[in-house]
Amino acid sequence: MAERTHNHLRLHSLLCLFCVTQAVKVENILTEADYVQTQEPTGEFMFQFDGDEIFHVNLDKKETIWRLPQFGQVASFDALGALQNIAILKFNLDIAMKRSNHTAATNEPPEISIYAETPIVLGEPNTLICATDKFFPPIIKMTWLKNGQPVTNAVSETDYYPLQDGSYSKFLYLAFIPTKDDIYICSVEHAGLQTIPTNKIWVTEVPSHESEAVENMICGLGLAVGIIGIIAGMVLIIKGIKNNKSRGRGH
């Protein structure tokens, strides 16, 4: 037997609808997350499974966008249903705004972090991820800088992912090839931040295991040179002893 809950959050400037279906024994969660608001983007319609996006509907183009193309090969969703839900939310939002005397919702700043998708190996392709978490409203601008210069190539981003507490998260990706000492910045703009933009810095560093390998190689070379020096010294000493003995016999 499935459990279904509906929550309306932050009615003053944004109206959200969360429909959660959870199997009691399996404990997987299928979530329908819709919202509308008075600012851009004006709304979103998304389905998630255990927090991961399955698809969202492009409300302007009126089409379903699958997170992975394979999903669309085994399932389908009519974008018209999403548009109908959004229209209902807009109607309810207008009523809620009038009742609240157009009171604005409180801005909550994002938590910002940067990390690489896989362990760094210099010269090997990787993906840099800028994650913004627990912010509200779902209006945020995220951009990449490399060594102080804007980066637009090989950049992609997700939609707004709703969290259980009514806040949102969003991810910005950058495909890159790590080189030593490159500096990357994720620049974030949001109404809740005290400093706009707020920059998070990530520096390409030589991984510790590579540094240790270099140090071990240097130590090994030093040890080898030392041993060769000792052997050479012993050879010279032995030769000197033999020469002295030969001279002594000559007398």
Side-chain angles (χ1 to χ4, degrees), residues 152-201:
T152 55
N153 293 331
V155 174
S156 60
E157 62 182 350
T158 66
D159 292 297
Y160 294 95
Y161 290 163
L163 305 176
Q164 291 184 353
D165 63 358
S167 63
Y168 289 81
S169 63
K170 188 179 179 72
F171 299 88
L172 182 69
Y173 301 102
L174 173 62
F176 78 121
I177 297 178
T179 56
K180 188 177 180 181
D181 297 330
D182 277 340
I183 299 175
Y184 292 88
I185 293 176
C186 179
S187 183
V188 179
E189 298 179 31
H190 186 270
L193 292 169
Q194 294 183 351
T195 302
I196 299 178
T198 294
N199 296 330
K200 195 74 173 181
I201 300 175

Side-chain angles (χ1 to χ4, degrees), residues 19 33 39 46 87 99 113-114 125-126 131 135 137 140 152 154 170 184 191 194 208 211 220 233 239 249:
C19 300
Q39 305 178 67
M46 178 187 295
R99 291 179 176 176
S113 59
I114 301 180
N126 207 321
F135 62 87
I140 198 168
T152 55
K170 188 179 179 72
Y184 292 88
Q194 294 183 351
S208 59
S211 300
K239 284 186 176 180
R249 290 173 182 173

Side-chain angles (χ1 to χ4, degrees), residues 3 26 32 35 49 68 77 79-80 84 95 121-122 146 152 155 166 181 187 205 241-242:
E3 177 185 358
V26 180
E32 174 193 331
Y35 76 76
F49 184 77
L68 296 176
F77 182 83
L80 180 60
Q84 292 173 342
I95 296 175
V121 177
L122 297 182
K146 177 183 178 182
T152 55
V155 174
D181 297 330
S187 183
E205 298 178 346
I241 293 174
K242 288 183 178 180

